[in-house]
Each structure stands twice: as structure tokens, then as C-alpha cells.
């Protein structure tokens, strides 16, 4: 009898061990399956890399349309995203396609593309608009008001050439946080709207509307001595710091080596001859003088960087509603500029230039070209990451 009880006891202990082991294996299997599901799900949403394609969707190929209704669209496409362009209908339209991870960006620009000739089945859209003046804002609103007619539209980003006085509140009713369809905005100039959640700052870039092309740093010879110390070619506004600059230029003998070409009124376009002259003078200058205009940030800054000429930048806020600290975006990346507060500082800067050895100037040109290339790479990375996070997170 005792033997039977003892055998039953042993058998029960074996059963308990078996049940416990089975339960452990089962629990482990369930946990493993859950973990695999979560990991797989995360991989399906994002693909993390060390390059500019971080946080890009990778579960399927997704198309993102970029519709450019302002010339800064070309700067975004060619200079920042490094996409190719194809010309249609004698220049009435320009298109391109660019794949980044599992996103395919389809670019459309020019008067050939209107609300009824772009793909009506668009799901993800980056719209590039000009908000600098009332007539441009009117055109922009016509596109934004038309968005509800694209019934498959899921997410919208806006790249906006903002007002030079940062009067951009007209865009607020179109934000998704206020019942509109725009999820995020990349905006030019130091707007106080920028919060890095809905609004992100964007560089002005070069004057594409004047025909300034994407100049690759490899095409610039930074080793040749440049004949000019500095230059300024632009509009001289009455009673502006540009007028003050002109007075100082006329009083400093060293500035005879600085081509200063001023005009009294702004001209919206260039001839092929005037553009070639403009580019040649900047490329032949060690410094490019960048006085404030309607805003402290100017196309000239980026054009000088493209050609390896050091921008001498007037670090001063302009009238209006912009942040009182100008050049916030550029300053984040420690730009190779010479910042000044007043053009009275220019004579001393030029004395230093005259005494600087050529080997240091050559190195500085290389540094300027490299900095600008790296800056554009950073802007590409930021753009792609923000789009991925905002559209697909």
C-alpha cells in the first residue's frame, strides 16, 4: 500500500513538472510570437538608417507628389533633394522622379500643371507655394481651397516662400490642427510660427526665378587667386543700409578692387548676359557683401556660397513680425560668414583681407564650398525625416 502511494506521489510530481515545463514553453512561445509581431510591425512602418533616408516607410512603395507653384520648388527638387528634371512642352512643365527607400517622389512644376491636370488620386502631397505678396497668396489659396476635391488625399505638407515681414497668418486656417488639410509647413524666413512640430524653417536658397542654376562645388576652381576683394550687385533702396554701404564704398580706396553695381529699382528677371556677369563677378571675389533688403536673408548669400565667396552678412533684424534673431536656421550650422552689425566695420575687414595669405584664402574657399554642400545634405535629411514622421508615423 505504501509502495502504491509512493508511486502515485512520484507520478504526480512528474506530472506537475511536465505541466510546469509545458506551461513555460507555451508562455515563452506566446511571448516570442508577440515580440516578433511587434518587431515586424515596427520594421514595416520604418526603416532606420544612418543616412538622409532615416524613418522612411518601407512596407510598400508609396508615391508622394510634389507640385511646385513657386520657383523655390526647383531649389527643393534639384539643390536639396538632388532630383533630375525633364522639360515638357517647351518649358511649360518640368517633371522628375526620385526614389528614397520605399518612397517615390514625383515632381511637377510649371503652368502646364493646374488643379485639373495633376493626378486626382493623390494620397500624399507636398505643395510648394509663394506667399510673398497678395497676388501670390491669392493663387496659393486657390490651390488650398481645391484640396478637398482630391477625395483620396491623406496627408499634405506645404513648402512656403513666406512674406518678407513674416506676415503669414493667412495660412493658419488651412492647418489640420484648425480644421484644414495641411499637416506641416516648411516656411522661409524667421517666422515666429516655427515650432518644429507644425512649422519648420526652410532656407531661401538661390534665385531660381532669375535662372541661377545648381552649381556643383566640383566645378568651382578654389585654388586660383581671385582678382576682386569683394563685390555687391543689387538694388540700392533709398534710405537703406545699402545706401550707407554705397557711401562707405566710395570713401575707401581699397574698395576699388570691389565691383559695386547698384540699381535704383528691383528688376524681376535677368538677361543671359547680366546673369553671366553676376556669376562671374561673385566667382572672382573673395567676399560678397550681403546687406539687408526687405529681409536680412537674401538669395545673394546662397549664391555666394555656391561660388565659394564668403558672404559678409549684415546681422540685423528688419522691420515686421519676424523673430528678432535673424538667420536662426543658418546659425544652427555655424556658417562660414563674416557677420557685421554696421557697414562702418567694412574698412577694417578689408584691411584683414589685404593681409591674408593666399593659401589661407584657398582653404577658406574650400571650407565655404564644403559647408554649403553639407548644409544642403542636412536640409535633405530634415525634409525626408519630417515627411516620414508626419505622413506615416
Amino acid at each position: 500500500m505504501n509502495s502504491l502511494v509512493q508511486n502515485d506521489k512520484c507520478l504526480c510530481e512528474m506530472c506537475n513538472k511536465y505541466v510546469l515545463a509545458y506551461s513555460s514553453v507555451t508562455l515563452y512561445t506566446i511571448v516570442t510570437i508577440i515580440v516578433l509581431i511587434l518587431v515586424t510591425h515596427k520594421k514595416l512602418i520604418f526603416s532606420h538608417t544612418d543616412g538622409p533616408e532615416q524613418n522612411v516607410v518601407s512596407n510598400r512603395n508609396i508615391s508622394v507628389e510634389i507640385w511646385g507653384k513657386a520657383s523655390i520648388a526647383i531649389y527643393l527638387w534639384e539643390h536639396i533633394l538632388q532630383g533630375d528634371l525633364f522639360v515638357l512642352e517647351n518649358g511649360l512643365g518640368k517633371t522628375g522622379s526620385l526614389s528614397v527607400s520605399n518612397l517615390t517622389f514625383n515632381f511637377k512644376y510649371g503652368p502646364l500643371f493646374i488643379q485639373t491636370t495633376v493626378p486626382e488620386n493623390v494620397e500624399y502631397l507636398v505643395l510648394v507655394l509663394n506667399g510673398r505678396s497678395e497676388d501670390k497668396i491669392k493663387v496659393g489659396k486657390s490651390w488650398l481651397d481645391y484640396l478637398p476635391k482630391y477625395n483620396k488625399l491623406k496627408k499634405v505638407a506645404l513648402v512656403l516662400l513666406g512674406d518678407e515681414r513674416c506676415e503669414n497668418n493667412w495660412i493658419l486656417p488651412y492647418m489640420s490642427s484648425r480644421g484644414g488639410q495641411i499637416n506641416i509647413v516648411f516656411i522661409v524666413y524667421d517666422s515666429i510660427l516655427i515650432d518644429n512640430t507644425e512649422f519648420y524653417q526652410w532656407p531661401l536658397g538661390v534665385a531660381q526665378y532669375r535662372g541661377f542654376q545648381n552649381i556643383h562645388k566640383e566645378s568651382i576652381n578654389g585654388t586660383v587667386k581671385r582678382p576682386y576683394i569683394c563685390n555687391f550687385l543689387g538694388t540700392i533702396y533709398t534710405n537703406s543700409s545699402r545706401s550707407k554701404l554705397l557711401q562707405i564704398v566710395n570713401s575707401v580706396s581699397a574698395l576699388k578692387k570691389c565691383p559695386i553695381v547698384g540699381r535704383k529699382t528691383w528688376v524681376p528677371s535677368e538677361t543671359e548676359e547680366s546673369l553671366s556677369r553676376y556669376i562671374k563677378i561673385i566667382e572672382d571675389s573673395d567676399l560678397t557683401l550681403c546687406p539687408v533688403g526687405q529681409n536680412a536673408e537674401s538669395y545673394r548669400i546662397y549664391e555666394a556660397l555656391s561660388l565659394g565667396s564668403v558672404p559678409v552678412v549684415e546681422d540685423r533684424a528688419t522691420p515686421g513680425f519676424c523673430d528678432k534673431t535673424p538667420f536662426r536656421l543658418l546659425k544652427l550650422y555655424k556658417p562660414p560668414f563674416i557677420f557685421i552689425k554696421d557697414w562702418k566695420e567694412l574698412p577694417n575687414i578689408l584691411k584683414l583681407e589685404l593681409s591674408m595669405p593666399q593659401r589661407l584664402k584657398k582653404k577658406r574657399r574650400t571650407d565655404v564650398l564644403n559647408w554649403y554642400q553639407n548644409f544642403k545634405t542636412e536640409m535633405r535629411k530634415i525634409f525626408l525625416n519630417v515627411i516620414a514622421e508626419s505622413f506615416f508615423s
Side-chain angles (χ1 to χ4, degrees), residues 61-81:
N61 191 279
I62 296 178
S63 293
V64 178
E65 292 284 314
I66 300 180
W67 299 343
K69 306 311 297 179
S71 61
I72 59 167
I74 301 294
Y75 184 73
L76 165 65
W77 183 253
E78 278 197 305
H79 298 238
I80 303 297
L81 295 180

Side-chain angles (χ1 to χ4, degrees), residues 186-197:
F186 297 93
I187 190 168
V188 175
Y189 300 125
D190 296 291
S191 171
I192 58 175
L193 293 174
I194 292 164
D195 56 8
N196 293 325
T197 301

Side-chain angles (χ1 to χ4, degrees), residues 232-244:
F232 173 73
L233 292 84
T235 307
I236 306 293
Y237 299 107
T238 305
N239 298 322
S240 69
S241 69
R242 296 185 178 193
S243 297
K244 188 174 183 179

Side-chain angles (χ1 to χ4, degrees), residues 56 83 153 156 263 322 326 345 386:
V56 176
L153 193 58
V156 180
R263 57 192 173 203
C322 299
E345 302 171 41
V386 171

Side-chain angles (χ1 to χ4, degrees), residues 40-59:
T40 303
H41 179 67
K42 187 175 183 64
K43 285 182 177 179
L44 288 174
I45 297 177
F46 294 120
S47 173
H48 295 279
T49 69
D50 294 327
E53 292 80 29
Q54 288 183 345
N55 295 351
V56 176
V57 175
S58 66
N59 61 326

Side-chain angles (χ1 to χ4, degrees), residues 161-392:
L161 177 57
D163 176 72
E164 290 175 289
R165 292 172 55 88
C166 296
E167 296 178 349
N168 303 302
N169 285 351
W170 66 271
I171 201 67
L172 294 178
Y174 292 98
M175 300 303 297
S176 59
S177 60
R178 303 192 181 205
Q181 285 190 273
I182 301 174
N183 300 95
I184 51 170
V185 177
F186 297 93
I187 190 168
V188 175
Y189 300 125
D190 296 291
S191 171
I192 58 175
L193 293 174
I194 292 164
D195 56 8
N196 293 325
T197 301
E198 278 190 311
F199 290 88
Y200 297 83
Q201 192 159 354
W202 193 248
L204 175 62
V206 301
Q208 283 288 160
Y209 74 98
R210 288 181 179 269
F212 198 97
Q213 299 299 309
N214 185 16
I215 299 173
H216 297 283
K217 68 174 186 174
E218 293 78 16
S219 66
I220 303 300
N221 189 342
T223 62
V224 177
K225 182 179 178 179
R226 299 192 170 187
Y228 303 131
I229 300 173
C230 64
N231 76 85
F232 173 73
L233 292 84
T235 307
I236 306 293
Y237 299 107
T238 305
N239 298 322
S240 69
S241 69
R242 296 185 178 193
S243 297
K244 188 174 183 179
L245 169 62
L246 194 60
Q247 293 172 4
I248 293 171
V249 164
N250 292 332
S251 66
V252 180
S253 59
L255 285 173
K256 291 178 181 178
K257 292 187 176 181
C258 289
I260 305 294
V261 181
R263 57 192 173 203
K264 293 183 179 180
T265 56
W266 177 78
V267 180
S269 60
E270 297 277 2
T271 65
E272 187 175 335
E273 182 182 355
S274 65
L275 179 61
S276 296
R277 182 189 181 206
Y278 175 80
I279 292 173
K280 177 64 174 169
I281 289 177
I282 294 179
E283 191 175 3
D284 283 346
S285 303
D286 288 316
L287 309 177
T288 293
L289 309 182
C290 302
V292 299
Q294 301 302 316
N295 191 282
E297 188 176 358
S298 67
Y299 295 112
R300 185 176 292 101
I301 293 171
Y302 298 90
E303 291 158 359
L305 292 169
S306 298
L307 296 162
S309 183
V310 177
V312 181
V313 177
E314 190 175 1
D315 191 10
R316 181 169 65 83
T318 48
F321 302 92
C322 299
D323 190 271
K324 298 308 176 185
T325 303
F327 306 110
R328 291 179 309 188
L329 177 62
L330 290 165
K331 286 177 179 176
L332 283 176
Y333 298 94
K334 297 179 172 54
F337 301 170
I338 297 175
F339 284 109
I340 66 168
K341 292 296 184 182
D342 194 294
W343 287 110
K344 291 179 180 178
E345 302 171 41
L346 184 59
N348 288 332
I349 291 171
L350 295 178
K351 286 180 183 178
L352 292 174
E353 280 297 307
L354 288 170
S355 63
M356 181 180 291
Q358 280 300 312
R359 60 180 178 81
L360 293 182
K361 289 186 178 182
K362 291 176 183 178
K363 180 182 182 304
R364 186 176 63 180
R365 287 177 209 130
T366 301
D367 291 342
V368 168
L369 292 168
N370 287 337
W371 182 90
Y372 186 48
Q373 182 61 52
N374 292 335
F375 174 77
K376 290 188 289 184
T377 299
E378 284 299 311
M379 291 302 99
R380 183 179 194 266
K381 187 185 300 184
I382 287 171
F383 179 83
L384 293 174
N385 287 347
V386 171
I387 290 295
E389 286 288 337
S390 301
F391 282 16
F392 310 109

